[in-house]
Amino acid sequence: MGDFGSALWSVEEALRIDAAILATTRDAVIITDLVPKILAVNPAFTEITGYAEAEVIGKSPSILSSGRHDRAFYQAMWLSLRETGYWQGEIWNRRKDGEMYPELLTLSAVCNEQGDPVHYVGVVTDLSQLRLHEERSPRLAHYDPLTALPNRLLLEARLQHTLERASREENRAAVLVIDLDQFKTINDSHGHAAGDALLVAVTRRLRTRLREEDTLSRLAGDQFVLVLEALHDYQEAEIMARSIQALLESPFVLPDGCKAFVRASVGISVYPQDGNTAQALLVGADAAVHRAKELGGRQFCYYTSELNVQARATLVMEEALRRALDQEEFVLYYQPKIDLRSGRIVGAEALLRWQRPGCGLVSPLEFIPAAEKNGLIEGIGAWVIRDACRQMRAWQDTGLTEIKVAVNVSARQFRYGGLEEEIIQALTQYGVKPSHLMLELTESMLMDAPEKAVARMTALKRLGLRLSLDDFGTGYSSLAYLGRFPIDQMKIDRSFVKDIVTDPGAATIATSVISLAHRMRVGVVAEGVETEAQAGYLRQNGCDEIQGYLFSKPLPAEEFAELVRQGESLPMPEAPLQSRTLLIVDDEPHILAALQRMLADEGYGIFTATSAHEGLELLAKNPVQVILSDQRMPAMSGAEFLGCVKALYPDTVRMVLSGYAELETVVQAVNEGAIYKFFVKPWDEEQLRAQIRDAFLYYEGVIQPRRGVASGL
Ligand code: C2E
Ligand code: CA
Ligand code: CA
């Protein structure tokens, strides 16, 4: 290292740039200190920027800023320069006359013997000319002369930017190295000109697949690199890899008229898993493409081995699903929908099953998501609609003319343009009335693009179909749109039904959906109903239909038809004999017995339960006006139980029997309105009977409350 007295000299030394080159190169060179202030520029700088050397010495390079990049951009640039001693990228700057121009900028730190930076050197290539001549004279520094694609230098710069952006926006990115299998053979047997023509044709095809933000580049020979930005899911990279492979499958015609068949191997590296520098990702993707070739070519490989395992599984699944469609391995099961007023079957939901050889019956949850991703869902969905129509025809032919079937439609199928055609075709082929077919659409697929969804749904309604809003409550429907969706039915999601009897939160959602649906004049179905208590609660709250294991699991078509033929129906509760019904809850059976005996002549209908849970089940199934509960019970105290009852059945009159020890909790529950009255054990029979009579009168509105009175007996 030489003398640091002359900035320019030391820099030249460090960069091993000959002064003569610096003076004559067409690239601008700027040397700054660490502030950074400009220490020196070369003649090309003046040519490109319009500033004379004397005008910029001592100034900050920011005088060239175009204002097109935000602060984060410059921060990332300086950060990289400070931490790695290097930054390269395309950037917009402004000339002295105000004109903006794109440049390729390479910044390097020049270090002293201790490794500390002492200067920065910027090398600028003006890209504006390059851009102008890109198509006509691609023989320039950053482009591949044959294909006019960015070359390695420009690729690395763009990739570095992609990574910086991905890091800021917390996105993923992927690098795909695409290698043409057997390109060499074509080159050798048809000549280099043919090889070149083929590369140009391949480039043209590849370009058709790119999104605007993707960068395609040719590295050398038959190797292309594709940088994919802003990926949400690394699997988008493999979808792209396969779509590229498919794209290159159809033959190319060479200048000599021969057909050339090109197969591609693709290696994929993913940011951030496989590295966070352009270099690391390129090396990774390159290693991966070698592996793909070793495996016989016409494959894609990830750099990371777990991703490969997953990708293989995805491929195996895809092939199996394709075969399943061809070989008719799918079958529809039918789950009855029951009318809660009559208890009768009013229709069925068709649920898909896959009879996968060697695997038994596979649940849709295991293959629909994959089919949705790889696009096979469009074919599978079309099959489901056809098969449901075929089945309705078959039923109608045996006299079961009134069975209506609902089929599930996936998001991709709903967006797919051919859906209406498919439906019309299936309905006409099998002579099924459109009103017999219902489509179940989920909230989330509508809310993706609600305006479009309204239009799609309106078109489907025009065919005469009925529409159901599935899994309602799990998405994030905006009420504004809900009113505009032309639906006939809402389905309360199973997750709310599950806890409907015991969890006031779930119950509130369910009852709100019911009243919302009714205000919108659409029907409402609860799915996943497994117990009589759930059915009872839903009936009491005006739900129209239920579906669930309580009545039946999804059944093969023949078994379902048999249920309908037998006139099988859900047992309806008998009308209550007594208009006054009391529920007594106590974990000690002898107390229950004593209280029952004591009230035997009062003419009440009496239910007894030995736990809060059992009490809630009884309340769900039966109309009850007055509840008397013990306070001290193992799983849930009387006050907690009645708090829950207050939320679920606010009109009931709730009373508690308590020992002295628990009075404090009880008084609090009284103050919160959960308890109307409480009695302290042991009780006076005569007075307790009178109080219960009062409670019914209070419920019936005959007497005013005497609330909060501590009725110790
Ligand atoms: P989904 O539309 O919410 O269907 C209801 C699911 O709940 C079905 O599961 C059904 O068997 C199950 N189920 C019904 N009653 C009960 C119950 O009482 N308790 C419990 N625990 N579960 C009950 P399945 O058949 O496994 O279907 C799962 C999902 O797969 C469906 O959810 C639907 O989203 C999808 N799917 C099913 N068939 C198709 C189809 O043909 N096309 C599309 N795109 N998706 C389908
Ligand atoms: Ca459904
Ligand atoms: Ca559902």
Side-chain angles (χ1 to χ4, degrees):
M1 264 293 161
D3 170 14
F4 280 91
S6 155
L8 195 49
W9 190 76
S10 69
V11 167
E12 281 168 38
E13 272 276 303
L15 293 178
R16 298 184 204 294
I17 295 175
D18 187 310
I21 295 180
L22 206 53
T24 57
T25 178
R26 291 172 52 196
D27 288 339
V29 177
I30 311 166
I31 296 156
T32 75
D33 62 14
L34 302 181
V35 174
K37 277 209 179 75
I38 299 176
L39 300 176
V41 298
N42 69 346
F45 175 88
T46 305
E47 207 147 290
I48 291 177
T49 65
Y51 288 105
E53 182 170 20
E55 290 178 280
V56 295
I57 298 289
K59 299 258 172 64
S60 158
S62 64
I63 55 166
L64 300 168
S65 293
S66 63
R68 283 207 185 175
H69 308 283
D70 59 7
R71 269 184 52 164
F73 176 88
Y74 290 108
Q75 273 168 354
M77 169 164 139
W78 285 107
L79 189 71
S80 156
L81 191 56
R82 269 199 301 277
E83 289 188 349
T84 67
Y86 181 78
W87 184 88
Q88 189 179 57
E90 282 182 330
I91 162 171
W92 284 88
N93 268 349
R94 189 193 297 274
R95 300 189 217 273
K96 188 179 173 187
D97 63 9
E99 187 198 348
M100 310 263 219
Y101 67 101
E103 63 177 40
L104 178 69
L105 174 62
T106 309
L107 293 173
S108 322
V110 178
C111 298
N112 61 18
E113 280 120 334
Q114 284 75 47
D116 300 321
V118 287
H119 299 287
Y120 295 124
V121 178
V123 179
V124 172
T125 308
D126 186 345
L127 296 179
S128 51
Q129 289 311 100
L130 207 74
R131 288 255 162 103
L132 277 179
H133 298 299
E134 196 177 309
E135 297 303 323
R136 271 169 287 150
S137 56
R139 251 165 253 285
L140 287 162
H142 296 105
Y143 289 85
D144 164 35
L146 177 64
T147 59
L149 292 173
N151 65 11
R152 180 181 275 273
L153 190 64
L154 189 51
L155 167 74
E156 285 184 6
R158 287 202 184 155
L159 178 52
Q160 200 58 47
H161 275 232
T162 298
L163 300 182
E164 282 157 18
R165 215 166 12 241
S167 144
R168 272 203 307 276
E169 293 165 10
E170 297 190 354
N171 266 325
R172 292 157 195 268
V175 174
L176 278 63
V177 170
I178 304 158
D179 192 302
L180 307 183
D181 301 336
Q182 259 111 38
F183 175 74
K184 196 170 169 303
T185 325
I186 294 169
N187 225 5
D188 290 349
S189 50
H190 297 266
H192 282 271
D196 284 357
L198 180 61
L199 289 174
V200 171
V202 165
T203 305
R204 208 174 298 134
R205 273 199 205 170
L206 290 176
R207 275 195 157 142
T208 61
R209 259 315 131 83
L210 303 190
R211 301 169 304 171
E212 204 179 324
E213 59 272 32
D214 302 332
T215 298
L216 178 69
S217 143
R218 188 168 76 113
L219 281 198
D222 57 351
Q223 272 208 344
F224 293 84
V225 175
L226 177 57
V227 175
L228 300 178
E229 275 209 52
L231 300 184
H232 299 294
D233 179 346
Y234 72 83
Q235 281 179 325
E236 289 169 39
E238 98 192 34
I239 291 169
M240 180 61 112
R242 290 160 62 192
S243 115
I244 286 172
Q245 285 170 325
L247 190 67
L248 299 179
E249 293 271 290
S250 53
F252 290 86
V253 181
L254 298 175
D256 59 11
C258 291
K259 279 186 181 168
F261 291 88
V262 171
R263 302 282 179 263
S265 295
V266 182
I268 308 174
S269 63
V270 181
Y271 168 85
Q273 282 105 306
D274 299 339
N276 49 17
T277 64
Q279 213 55 41
L281 291 171
L282 284 167
V283 168
D286 196 54
V289 82
H290 274 103
R291 201 162 334 127
K293 285 189 135 348
E294 275 164 26
L295 290 170
R298 203 184 173 181
Q299 317 234 0
F300 69 87
C301 265
Y302 281 105
Y303 176 59
T304 308
S305 51
E306 309 99 82
L307 298 189
N308 276 326
V309 173
Q310 283 171 31
R312 293 280 155 252
T314 311
L315 258 187
V316 168
M317 173 64 96
E318 177 171 339
E319 272 156 30
L321 282 173
R322 232 180 259 288
R323 206 187 40 234
L325 253 183
D326 283 351
Q327 316 268 317
E328 296 264 328
E329 290 170 11
F330 291 119
V331 59
L332 290 180
Y333 272 42
Y334 294 87
Q335 186 175 40
K337 288 184 170 177
I338 308 299
D339 183 299
L340 270 179
R341 278 167 295 265
S342 66
R344 302 184 67 83
I345 300 175
V346 286
E349 174 175 6
L351 292 157
L352 187 59
R353 301 287 179 266
W354 176 14
Q355 291 168 310
R356 188 175 182 184
C359 298
L361 218 51
V362 184
S363 148
L365 299 174
E366 286 176 48
F367 61 89
I368 298 267
E372 173 92 12
K373 247 183 196 156
N374 62 31
L376 284 173
I377 193 68
E378 287 171 15
I380 297 174
W383 180 88
V384 168
I385 290 169
R386 266 200 320 278
D387 203 57
C389 290
R390 183 196 58 73
Q391 188 61 62
M392 280 189 271
R393 171 81 269 149
W395 282 330
Q396 284 170 20
D397 290 347
T398 63
L400 299 175
T401 51
E402 282 312 308
I403 302 179
K404 296 178 175 162
V405 172
V407 299
N408 291 283
V409 172
S410 85
R412 185 155 174 168
Q413 201 186 348
F414 180 67
R415 283 196 305 265
Y416 166 63
L419 182 62
E420 278 154 69
E421 291 310 308
E422 279 169 13
I423 293 174
I424 294 172
Q425 224 195 342
L427 291 171
T428 19
Q429 180 179 351
Y430 294 106
V432 173
K433 277 192 252 163
S435 59
H436 274 45
L437 183 65
M438 181 176 250
L439 303 184
E440 296 197 358
L441 312 170
T442 64
E443 223 184 325
S444 50
M445 73 199 225
L446 302 180
M447 293 315 296
D448 255 6
E451 281 301 338
K452 281 200 189 126
V454 171
R456 297 285 288 130
M457 293 170 88
T458 310
L460 292 166
K461 281 294 300 175
R462 230 176 268 137
L463 301 181
L465 307 174
R466 292 183 308 142
L467 301 179
S468 173
L469 194 47
D470 205 351
D471 301 344
F472 190 74
T474 58
Y476 31 81
S477 277
S478 116
L479 284 177
Y481 276 109
L482 204 53
R484 295 185 47 204
F485 291 146
I487 51 171
D488 302 274
Q489 182 184 77
M490 280 186 188
K491 292 188 88 169
I492 305 175
D493 190 66
R494 188 161 83 231
S495 56
F496 305 114
V497 173
K498 194 165 125 300
D499 299 324
I500 202 168
V501 178
T502 48
D503 173 5
T508 305
I509 292 177
T511 51
S512 311
V513 174
I514 294 170
S515 58
L516 179 66
H518 288 165
R519 258 179 287 144
M520 288 170 58
R521 306 201 187 294
V522 308
V524 53
V525 189
E527 64 180 10
V529 177
E530 296 183 355
T531 67
E532 280 176 31
Q534 291 164 344
Y537 187 85
L538 288 159
R539 182 188 294 112
Q540 285 187 45
N541 283 283
C543 184
D544 304 301
E545 295 173 23
I546 58 165
Q547 187 187 333
Y549 297 169
L550 171 65
F551 185 77
S552 168
K553 294 203 169 192
L555 300 171
E558 205 25 62
E559 287 178 39
F560 172 78
E562 202 45 41
L563 278 189
V564 178
R565 269 188 220 110
Q566 304 291 324
E568 205 66 52
S569 67
L570 188 71
M572 290 286 107
E574 298 127 34
L577 294 174
Q578 280 87 5
S579 53
R580 286 181 163 189
T581 306
L582 172 71
L583 169 67
I584 314 174
V585 186
D586 198 312
D587 58 315
E588 290 175 66
H590 75 271
I591 296 195
L592 287 179
L595 288 168
Q596 248 178 319
R597 232 179 294 114
M598 179 193 99
L599 296 166
D601 296 332
E602 296 288 302
Y604 306 141
I606 298 181
F607 290 107
T608 59
T610 53
S611 70
H613 188 81
E614 202 185 314
L616 288 170
E617 300 247 314
L618 282 166
L619 286 171
K621 287 188 278 185
N622 305 285
V624 168
Q625 299 85 41
V626 176
I627 300 146
L628 178 62
S629 170
D630 181 27
Q631 165 64 7
R632 192 205 289 253
M633 296 187 291
M636 196 191 264
S637 77
E640 281 174 278
F641 164 59
L642 292 176
C644 213
V645 175
K646 176 186 181 234
L648 291 163
Y649 311 93
D651 295 343
T652 49
V653 181
R654 301 165 296 273
M655 303 190 290
V656 99
L657 272 171
S658 158
Y660 274 107
E662 302 99 32
L663 271 182
E664 206 173 311
T665 338
V666 170
V667 169
Q668 196 184 336
V670 171
N671 291 338
E672 283 164 4
I675 297 179
Y676 167 65
K677 277 187 185 168
F678 69 87
F679 310 104
V680 180
K681 290 176 181 173
W683 61 83
D684 174 293
E685 293 209 348
E686 201 42 57
Q687 286 199 35
L688 185 53
R689 260 199 295 269
Q691 291 290 353
I692 292 175
R693 246 176 262 137
D694 267 10
F696 278 104
L697 290 173
Y698 168 50
Y699 178 87
E700 289 152 11
V702 178
I703 59 168
Q704 291 303 305
R706 274 173 279 153
R707 199 167 248 235
V709 181
S711 308
L713 299 171

